Amino acid sequence: MGGASRAGLMARGLAGLVAGLPASVAAADDGRWRVVRGEGQGEAIVVELMGEDVALTFAGWRERIGGASEEAEEVVALALDFVAAALFGELRVVEERVGETVLRRALEVEVGGAWRLHARRGGLGLRGLAARLRGDLTRSVRGDEGRLARAGRLRDARPSGLASAPWSGAAGDAAGEAASLAIDGELDLHNFSPKEVGRLVREYIEVCRGRGILELRIVHGKGKGVLRRTVHSLLERHPAVASFRLGGHGEGSWGATMVTLRPRAADGGGDGG
């Protein structure tokens, strides 16, 4: 899969991951994204495409995921899991230093309520060993401050503890579902089960608003009208929805619903939608 397609997958996945969370994603022109919690709380996560790989930088640690033998979707999914674990404070970097000099770093992942070592880089050397004997070797922890609380669609997702990537699973299915959708204002519900519709529509609304897409077309089909009524009931209660109507000629008629959203600036983004 080409770099452009991989970039699209990553952009959509990150947007889907942070939808509804007190977190934001800023994209740069050089194939990088910067993910931060709230108002810059805690350590930022930098995501960078490097050929077939994805490089992630967090709290002084750099992790590289992928390779030509991996499918782009799998590489992106693992990268999104890393970002999710970092957002929820399930990743931390332990530094051992003498004064201001970092001698060794370790990446730890919280699995099942306990911190597990993933990898350690650097070495103490004679200087570190001597500092340890003198009591001058210090240990500090970075990355798990300002953690976000898991709630809603991500409540039950957790790092799996997979040996090669213990953060896998931290994003659950939410990022993967968002990544598989084109964020272009049209949402076709035919390929989703009824139990997924409510969460999917709410998340899609938030991702589109975040991108300034305020006119949506939701395709629910004609049929008996059960899915249409479900969608309309959700839209009636959603604070970000300014108006909606059935599709007209060339819009899908009563098999689709046209939705107009309120821009974030109109409500300060604090409607909780």
Side-chain angles (χ1 to χ4, degrees):
M1 180 174 290
S5 298
R6 190 176 295 240
L9 278 175
M10 184 62 73
R12 292 192 294 272
L14 289 171
L17 176 61
V18 304
L21 296 177
S24 61
V25 179
D29 294 334
D30 58 356
R32 296 187 184 191
W33 295 264
R34 181 180 173 86
V35 186
V36 296
R37 311 174 202 167
E39 298 298 325
Q41 301 174 26
E43 302 273 1
I45 308 110
V46 177
V47 183
E48 180 182 4
L49 298 182
M50 301 186 69
E52 299 292 332
D53 297 355
V54 178
L56 301 125
T57 305
F58 173 65
W61 184 272
R62 189 170 176 83
E63 188 74 23
R64 194 156 173 160
I65 299 174
S69 62
E70 299 288 346
E71 292 292 334
E73 291 84 355
E74 295 176 6
V75 173
V76 170
L78 275 179
L80 294 174
D81 284 333
F82 185 100
V83 173
L87 286 174
F88 295 114
E90 294 156 351
L91 288 182
R92 71 181 185 185
V93 177
V94 180
E95 295 181 339
E96 293 175 280
R97 60 175 69 209
V98 176
E100 297 301 316
T101 303
V102 177
L103 300 179
R104 187 164 66 176
R105 286 188 176 94
L107 181 67
E108 297 182 350
V109 185
E110 189 177 32
V111 180
W115 289 102
R116 179 181 300 182
L117 175 67
H118 166 58
R120 184 179 283 120
R121 292 174 187 162
L124 297 183
L126 292 176
R127 183 183 180 188
L129 294 175
R132 175 180 289 173
L133 290 173
R134 294 193 309 268
D136 295 336
L137 187 70
T138 60
R139 180 180 183 273
S140 60
V141 176
R142 295 174 56 184
D144 63 343
E145 70 278 11
R147 68 165 65 194
L148 302 182
R150 283 189 175 274
R153 72 195 196 283
L154 296 171
R155 180 182 292 110
D156 297 326
R158 290 291 187 280
S160 65
L162 182 70
S164 59
W167 55 82
S168 66
D173 295 328
E177 289 170 3
S180 67
L181 296 173
I183 311 300
D184 56 5
E186 178 160 329
L187 177 61
D188 190 336
L189 299 176
H190 282 109
N191 294 325
F192 298 91
S193 67
K195 68 179 182 180
E196 295 177 293
V197 167
R199 175 165 58 88
L200 179 63
V201 171
R202 285 190 293 270
E203 292 175 15
Y204 196 77
I205 285 173
E206 286 309 304
V207 173
C208 286
R209 288 179 78 209
R211 297 188 177 196
I213 301 172
L214 303 179
E215 300 294 331
L216 309 185
R217 178 172 178 263
I218 300 178
V219 180
H220 41 64
K222 297 177 181 179
K224 297 181 179 179
V226 176
L227 188 55
R228 180 182 71 248
R229 289 192 293 271
T230 297
V231 170
H232 285 191
S233 176
L234 185 153
L235 296 175
E236 286 172 354
R237 302 191 305 271
H238 202 298
V241 175
S243 63
F244 65 91
R245 61 174 174 80
L246 287 174
H249 179 69
E251 295 177 330
S253 184
W254 47 282
T257 294
M258 313 303 293
V259 185
T260 299
L261 303 178
R262 295 186 177 93
R264 286 186 181 275
D267 54 22
D271 55 29

